[in-house]
């Protein structure tokens, strides 16, 4: 008997929480317990206006080994917190989003219900594909685009320059029409959403140093090519997300140039200038002047940009450096900026998605009516990297001065539970499960093998959250850091596309589309040890069991869980890492 299987459980999914309700309304919640670990009582604890209140939960008749306890949470605050007291004999434990505790805990990880509108359903259920336009594909028209003066030209297939001053200047010339020509590849993976890194002009290959937000870079084909891409994607049932830098512009941006040349200009107030004329830049980089969102006119201009491109046809935005936006020294209006961007986006397109880049702990940034979710590095990527990293050699990290450590399965699950507990269920389910991006090492380099890479992909698609594939991961492309990871797609090498890795991604995307438990189900860990983990995704219509072994040892037996033939098999016999997904009865 695995003890985790019989622990009481609650999460924010449909099996445990009824539909959210407006302020003042009740929401029915329930807790699962087991006859094998009997409870004498369960109490619901809410906090209203800063004061705790307790409500007795009502037990139902046992369903097999399971007893359900129910109570109503009144939505008294816009973000209502609650937890459960589990009483057994003469003691009790607390159940919150981070797990079960036999000591008193703070309110920080309590469950949450929100009276705000939920994120768009398509954003929670998507499979996202990230494209770095300069490196994805060159169309026939690409040869007609001039090579800019700032560029260091490269031939398609050349290795990226990933250190030194030429790193942001190396130019391959990928364009938007090139993406259109390869949408069939994207569709074949089972992707339904494309996320493009910036398309505005900027004197770099990454274009995060925008010179304007009013037009698309002519090197990519301009506004007309953007129109063709969005229309072609929509015709195929794909959505398109843009990338917008809310924290800074480039030093060639039209706003900044006016601010520098005319200290009396309105635009001068858009940036942080010192008395000596110097300015604040992102992480000290003067070429990326930081925006001052306390300026009302900047807010109006920026909201106009958000709305304009959604009116043009975008389905939402990924907001670059969202964690720093609106924060500078004693100033912290990050929530106000997030709220205004989301409100503007939803006014332009009611089902718009607004997702934040956040490279570390997003605690406190995701409650309420701001960002719908985040790129979940610390709650997903880092724990996966640490459990599945190549044990034979050091692996570079992202944002840390040391290499990725290798940790066991218990540490992985503990880290995931700790970070996502602070997000709330809705934000966790909408946040992106990323195995890497244009800013980090590639997952194939981190794992060092296809077998471990495939396990990482299983976790990416099977855990709560939205899988985001960085273009090339499905081919096993490598990269030791973010810049090295921005390698060109090998379209002239057909064999590169005939790999088991590509099949695994397509199979996982198919399963996610066919099984609501993978899109909207809860999460219940049922086995965790150093080298093996197993968890259930529970939905009112079905329950799936996902088991993984990183060292090739036998998967956990869990004899109390009935299962038939697996829906997915990754890894075959021997000592190879392996994973299975089953539809089960508990």
């Amino acid at each position: 008997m695995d003890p985790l299987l019989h622990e009481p459980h609650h999460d924010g999914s449909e099996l445990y929480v009824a539909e959210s309700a407006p302020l003042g309304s009740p929401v029915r919640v329930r807790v699962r317990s087991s006859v094998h670990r009997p409870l004498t009582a369960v109490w619901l604890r809410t906090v209203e206006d800063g004061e705790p209140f307790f409500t007795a939960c009502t037990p139902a008749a046992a369903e097999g080994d399971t007893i359900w306890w129910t109570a109503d949470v009144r939505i008294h605050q816009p973000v209502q917190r609650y937890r459960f007291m589990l009483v057994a004999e003469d003691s009790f434990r607390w159940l919150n989003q981070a797990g079960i505790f036999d000591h008193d805990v703070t309110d920080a990880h309590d469950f949450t219900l929100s009276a705000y509108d939920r994120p768009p359903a398509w954003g929670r259920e998507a499979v996202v594909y990230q494209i770095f336009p300069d490196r994805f594909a060159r169309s026939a028209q690409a040869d007609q685009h001039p090579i800019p003066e700032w560029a260091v030209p490269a031939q398609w297939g050349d290795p990226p320059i990933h250190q030194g001053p030429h790193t942001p200047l190396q130019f391959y010339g990928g364009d938007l029409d090139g993406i259109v020509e390869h949408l069939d590849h994207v569709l074949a993976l089972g992707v339904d959403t494309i996320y493009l890194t910036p398309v505005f002009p900027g004197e770099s290959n990454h274009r995060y140093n925008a010179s304007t937000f009013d037009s698309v870079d002519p090197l990519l084909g301009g506004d007309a090519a953007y129109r063709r891409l969005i229309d072609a994607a929509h015709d195929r049932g794909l959505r398109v997300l843009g990338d917008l830098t809310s924290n800074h512009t480039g030093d060639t941006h039209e706003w900044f140039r006016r601010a520098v040349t005319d200290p009396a200009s309105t635009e001068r107030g858009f940036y942080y200038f010192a008395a000596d004329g110097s300015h604040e830049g992102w992480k000290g980089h003067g070429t990326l002047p930081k925006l001052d969102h306390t300026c009302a006119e900047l807010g109006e201009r920026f909201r106009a940009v958000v709305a304009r491109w959604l009116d043009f046809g975008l389905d939402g935005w990924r907001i670059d450096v969202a964690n720093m936006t609106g924060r500078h020294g004693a100033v912290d209006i990050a929530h106000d900026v997030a709220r205004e961007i989301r409100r503007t986006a939803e006014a332009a397109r009611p089902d718009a998605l607004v997702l934040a880049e956040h490279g570390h702990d997003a605690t406190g940034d995701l409650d309420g009516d701001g960002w719908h979710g985040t790129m979940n590095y610390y709650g997903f990527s880092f724990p996966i990297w640490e459990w599945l990293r190549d044990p034979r050699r050091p692996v570079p990290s992202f944002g840390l001065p040391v290499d990725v450590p290798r940790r066991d399965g218990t540490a992985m699950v503990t880290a995931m539970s700790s970070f996502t507990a602070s997000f709330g269920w809705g934000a966790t389910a909408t946040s992106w499960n990323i195995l890497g991006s244009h800013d980090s090492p590639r997952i194939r380099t981190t794992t060092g093998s296809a077998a471990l890479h495939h396990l990482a992909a299983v976790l990416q698609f099977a855990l709560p959250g939205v899988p985001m594939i960085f273009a090339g991961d499905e081919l096993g492309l490598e990269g030791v850091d973010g810049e090295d990871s921005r390698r060109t797609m090998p379209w002239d090498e057909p064999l590169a596309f005939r790999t088991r890795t590509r099949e695994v991604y397509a199979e996982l995307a198919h399963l996610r589309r066919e099984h609501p438990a993978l899109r909207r189900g809860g999460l219940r860990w049922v086995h965790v040890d150093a080298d093996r983990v197993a968890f259930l995704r529970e939905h009112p219509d079905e329950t799936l069991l996902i088991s993984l072994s990183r060292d090739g040892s036998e998967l956990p037996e869990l004899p109390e869980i009935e299962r038939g033939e697996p829906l997915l098999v990754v890894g075959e016999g021997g000592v190879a890492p392996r994973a299975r997904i089953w539809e089960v009865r508990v």
Side-chain angles (χ1 to χ4, degrees):
M1 178 188 300
D2 199 299
L4 283 180
L5 188 61
H6 300 297
E7 285 282 23
H9 182 75
H10 174 84
D11 59 45
S13 67
E14 297 172 28
L15 190 62
Y16 295 91
V17 178
E19 281 291 321
S20 190
L23 280 172
S25 300
V27 173
R28 178 61 53 91
V29 297
R30 60 182 192 163
V31 176
R32 175 200 293 273
S33 71
S34 171
V35 297
H36 298 289
R37 298 200 66 173
L39 300 174
T40 58
V42 175
W43 291 85
L44 169 72
R45 175 190 181 269
T46 58
V47 176
E48 299 182 10
D49 298 333
E51 182 68 19
F53 293 87
F54 288 85
T55 302
C57 296
T58 303
E63 297 177 6
D65 292 344
T66 298
I67 298 174
W68 291 101
W69 303 75
T70 60
D72 288 340
V73 176
R74 184 168 71 102
I75 308 300
H76 184 71
Q77 329 282 169
V79 177
Q80 180 64 57
R81 295 184 174 274
Y82 67 99
R83 69 167 89 151
F84 297 96
M85 175 188 281
L86 310 173
V87 183
E89 298 178 349
D90 59 350
S91 65
F92 68 86
R93 298 183 294 167
W94 293 112
L95 169 61
N96 65 14
Q97 288 188 116
I100 298 176
F101 299 90
D102 59 3
H103 58 268
D104 289 333
V105 293
T106 69
D107 296 350
H109 288 166
D110 280 2
F111 299 105
T112 58
L113 291 172
S114 175
Y116 296 112
D117 291 338
R118 290 189 173 190
W122 70 264
R124 296 194 307 272
E125 300 190 6
V127 175
V128 181
Y129 191 75
Q130 181 192 5
I131 292 177
F132 192 88
D134 184 58
R135 310 295 163 86
F136 188 70
R138 286 174 60 91
S139 70
Q141 292 84 4
D143 290 336
Q144 301 171 19
H145 305 321
I147 297 176
E149 292 183 2
W150 54 261
V152 177
Q155 295 298 310
W156 204 260
D158 286 352
I161 299 171
H162 63 104
Q163 293 180 337
H166 286 169
T167 296
L169 307 179
Q170 190 179 26
F171 181 74
Y172 291 84
D175 61 356
L176 300 178
D177 285 315
I179 299 172
V180 173
E181 292 173 3
H182 293 284
L183 287 179
D184 287 345
H185 169 77
V186 176
L187 283 169
L189 281 178
V191 167
D192 53 35
T193 302
I194 295 171
Y195 150 51
L196 301 178
T197 56
V199 299
F200 302 119
E203 295 184 352
S204 67
N205 53 44
H206 54 70
R207 298 183 172 88
Y208 283 102
N209 55 341
S211 59
T212 183
F213 295 132
D214 290 341
S215 62
V216 174
D217 195 336
L219 299 173
L220 293 173
D223 291 10
Y226 207 26
R227 173 84 278 147
R228 290 191 291 271
L229 171 58
I230 291 172
D231 288 347
H234 287 171
D235 288 346
R236 290 167 170 81
L238 296 165
R239 295 181 186 265
V240 182
L241 297 174
D243 196 333
L244 186 60
T245 52
S246 58
N247 179 73
H248 57 265
T249 66
D251 62 350
T252 61
H253 197 283
E254 54 200 0
W255 297 346
F256 187 72
R257 285 182 168 176
R258 282 196 288 272
V260 170
T261 57
D262 182 4
S265 66
T266 300
E267 289 80 9
R268 186 79 170 187
F270 291 7
Y271 299 90
Y272 289 94
F273 281 95
D276 64 359
S278 62
H279 63 273
E280 187 73 22
W282 175 73
K283 297 178 76 169
H285 296 287
T287 57
L288 300 172
K290 183 175 176 65
L291 292 166
D292 181 359
H293 282 275
T294 63
C295 176
E297 175 63 23
L298 171 62
E300 291 185 16
R301 296 265 192 101
F302 204 83
R303 289 192 292 273
V305 172
V306 170
R308 174 187 174 174
W309 293 102
L310 290 169
D311 291 338
F312 188 86
L314 287 179
D315 297 286
W317 289 106
R318 176 264 196 187
I319 303 298
D320 182 57
V321 200
N323 55 300
M324 297 182 74
T325 296
R327 290 183 169 126
H328 180 63
V331 174
D332 188 347
I333 57 169
H335 294 292
D336 297 324
V337 177
R339 185 179 300 114
E340 288 304 312
I341 290 176
R342 174 170 163 181
R343 186 176 296 162
T344 301
E346 291 176 341
R349 183 176 288 265
D351 65 345
L353 179 71
V354 183
L355 194 110
E357 181 199 20
H358 205 304
H360 54 103
D361 180 8
T363 298
D365 276 6
L366 300 179
D367 275 349
D369 53 353
W371 315 124
H372 287 128
T374 185
M375 299 178 75
N376 194 6
Y377 282 104
Y378 267 74
F380 179 82
S381 313
F382 271 61
I384 302 296
W385 295 346
E386 292 170 357
W387 192 52
L388 296 178
R389 60 145 280 199
D390 186 345
R392 301 166 299 178
R393 58 182 175 83
V395 177
S397 188
F398 164 55
L400 297 179
V402 297
D403 293 326
V404 175
R406 192 165 192 262
R407 304 191 195 276
D408 66 17
T410 301
M412 175 183 70
V413 173
T414 300
M416 284 182 176
S417 300
S418 176
F419 278 97
T420 58
S422 67
F423 291 0
W425 182 262
T428 297
T430 309
S431 293
W432 287 355
N433 291 346
I434 49 180
L435 295 175
S437 73
H438 67 291
D439 285 328
S440 77
R442 287 272 187 179
I443 185 62
R444 180 61 65 88
T445 298
T446 300
T447 62
S449 71
L452 288 173
H453 179 176
H454 298 167
L455 259 62
V458 170
L459 289 167
Q460 181 179 35
F461 279 79
L463 284 167
V466 176
M468 190 212 80
I469 307 164
F470 180 30
D473 277 354
E474 74 275 22
L475 309 181
L477 294 190
E478 295 208 33
V480 298
D481 54 33
E483 287 76 13
D484 188 35
S485 294
R486 303 171 191 178
R487 302 186 184 187
T488 54
M489 291 287 283
W491 299 113
D492 57 349
E493 302 175 26
L495 290 179
F497 292 81
R498 299 172 187 168
T499 67
R500 175 58 182 153
T501 300
R502 184 170 177 268
E503 293 175 353
V504 167
Y505 275 95
E507 290 169 5
L508 286 165
H510 172 77
L511 284 178
R512 179 176 169 82
R513 184 170 58 251
E514 295 297 318
H515 291 275
L518 293 178
R519 303 191 309 275
R520 304 193 303 274
L523 171 64
R524 186 153 62 107
W525 295 97
V526 292
H527 182 90
V528 177
D529 65 34
D531 295 305
R532 302 175 303 163
V533 297
F535 55 94
L536 296 170
R537 297 297 308 276
E538 299 173 309
H539 184 268
D541 295 339
E542 64 178 1
T543 296
L544 301 185
L545 170 67
I546 297 91
S547 294
L548 302 95
S549 166
R550 72 174 179 181
D551 66 349
S553 58
E554 292 298 324
L555 296 172
E557 292 185 4
L558 302 170
E560 293 159 283
I561 299 179
E562 299 178 21
R563 57 199 125 171
E565 291 298 313
L567 300 172
L568 177 75
V569 175
V570 173
E572 298 291 345
V575 295
R578 64 183 76 184
R580 302 287 186 274
I581 298 179
W582 291 273
E583 196 164 8
V584 303
R585 280 184 53 123
V586 179

